[in-house]
Amino acid sequence: MNLLEFYFTHKTLIWRYFLVIVLFTLSALIQQKIIENNYNKSNEVLFEETNKIPWIMDLQEYYEEFSLQTNITQILINSSSQFTNLSIPITYDNWPNITSEIFEQKIKGLFIQFYSPHSIYCQAMVDVWKELNYLIMNNTQLTNQIRLGTYAMNDRNSFVFASRDMMRKHIIHSFPHLVFFWYSPKSRKENEEPKLYFTSFKEERTTENLLQFIEEQVDKRFDKVESNDTVVVVNEEPTTSPSNDDVTKVLITEPTISE
């Protein structure tokens, strides 16, 4: 049976499937537009009084462009890190390099915002995240120790490590979700694979709280590991390309975060 015969034989079914796809697409677009309009309308006064940023259609592209505004080359002191922007959009390609630099202590900590571009709460985080970046850029000590990462959870090409496992195990259960990753060389035993540890931010998402959280993690995390810290075991040989079943070479323990 050729394509024409198949079409005329099943044309009613084909058109029904096509109509369903079109209706679902239109429904999603309309719903997204309603959310966007409601967000802009509810924050209209804030836009005028505080220069708050309205809804950003492509939040992932926005963070990629914002990263270029966070160059810290002139602030770094005796740094051999290849990441000369404070803000790093996490991708499948750069994640192995980031983890390598953490293990080599070129970067001592990584604070990641896991976000969904279509979430009103992630949209509302834009101003807070920008201010946090600028505050840290004015802190030479922090700038030389950590980086800030943005991770678009709906971008399949960004599934580079434990995001799927972290969601399945309810470590990441809402957006935005903020996590501080670090590595403690003193905790590593002989012939043991290097381990990344992480702690989730659980307070109100204000610039002051975020900065205080990062400073606390930097002060207490690098030299010691506590028994209840959650560990991420990283395989430094990532797959050549992401797939549905093998998007990562990272294992996660059960969440035992204790703040």
Side-chain angles (χ1 to χ4, degrees):
M1 180 183 296
N2 58 36
L3 290 177
L4 285 176
E5 291 177 344
F6 179 85
Y7 170 77
F8 285 113
T9 303
H10 302 89
K11 64 178 181 179
T12 302
L13 184 61
I14 291 174
W15 279 104
R16 284 179 180 175
Y17 276 119
F18 176 76
L19 183 60
V20 169
I21 293 172
V22 170
L23 290 175
F24 269 110
T25 303
L26 288 175
S27 175
L29 291 174
I30 293 171
Q31 183 181 21
Q32 177 62 32
K33 194 63 180 178
I34 292 174
I35 294 174
E36 175 190 342
N37 289 338
N38 288 342
Y39 176 85
N40 288 337
K41 185 177 181 179
S42 63
N43 290 282
E44 187 173 0
V45 176
L46 284 176
F47 298 154
E48 297 175 355
E49 295 181 353
T50 65
N51 294 321
K52 182 178 174 64
I53 298 175
W55 187 277
I56 298 171
M57 290 304 297
D58 193 334
L59 193 54
Q60 186 174 357
E61 181 180 349
Y62 173 85
Y63 277 132
E64 290 174 355
E65 293 177 355
F66 172 72
S67 172
L68 302 177
Q69 303 175 30
T70 64
N71 187 277
I72 52 177
T73 304
Q74 296 181 347
I75 307 175
L76 296 176
I77 302 173
N78 298 324
S79 174
S80 58
S81 173
Q82 66 176 286
F83 298 101
T84 55
N85 293 332
L86 178 64
S87 180
I88 307 173
I90 306 297
T91 68
Y92 181 80
D93 294 325
N94 68 16
W95 176 250
N97 296 332
I98 295 173
T99 55
S100 294
E101 290 206 359
I102 294 176
F103 291 144
E104 295 169 8
Q105 295 289 272
K106 295 178 181 179
I107 299 173
K108 291 192 174 181
L110 177 66
F111 188 53
I112 296 183
Q113 178 196 168
F114 294 89
Y115 70 93
S116 171
H118 306 297
S119 163
I120 59 173
Y121 304 105
C122 296
Q123 293 278 340
M125 265 292 292
V126 169
D127 291 293
V128 174
W129 192 255
K130 283 183 62 178
E131 186 177 351
L132 177 66
N133 273 265
Y134 292 143
L135 283 175
I136 293 179
M137 288 174 69
N138 289 321
N139 185 319
T140 303
Q141 181 179 0
L142 278 181
T143 301
N144 280 273
Q145 290 180 313
I146 69 167
R147 297 292 184 271
L148 304 181
T150 52
Y151 188 108
M153 292 297 291
N154 69 334
D155 180 7
R156 190 179 171 290
N157 292 325
S158 289
F159 274 128
V160 293
F161 64 117
S163 57
R164 179 172 291 180
D165 282 342
M166 292 173 81
M167 292 181 70
R168 186 175 68 244
K169 296 178 180 179
H170 305 292
I171 298 171
I172 297 178
H173 48 74
S174 61
F175 300 109
H177 190 85
L178 300 142
V179 179
F180 186 85
F181 290 87
W182 83 98
Y183 167 60
S184 175
K186 294 183 179 180
S187 68
R188 185 178 178 182
K189 299 178 181 178
E190 188 176 357
N191 298 323
E192 183 181 49
E193 289 292 321
K195 297 177 181 178
L196 280 183
Y197 294 84
F198 70 88
T199 304
S200 293
F201 174 82
K202 298 180 179 179
E203 305 299 327
E204 182 182 358
R205 293 185 291 266
T206 65
T207 306
E208 293 75 17
N209 287 345
L210 290 170
L211 183 60
Q212 181 180 355
F213 173 78
I214 291 173
E215 290 174 336
E216 290 174 351
Q217 299 307 310
V218 169
D219 286 341
K220 71 180 182 179
R221 293 299 189 182
F222 297 152
D223 293 331
K224 65 179 180 179
V225 174
E226 301 171 0
S227 59
N228 62 350
D229 285 331
T230 307
V231 62
V232 183
V233 183
V234 179
N235 184 329
E236 294 187 89
E237 297 180 357
T239 54
T240 55
S241 61
S243 64
N244 289 330
D245 299 320
D246 188 17
V247 296
T248 179
K249 284 292 183 180
V250 182
L251 303 175
I252 298 292
T253 62
E254 291 296 327
T256 54
I257 299 173
S258 177
E259 297 293 338

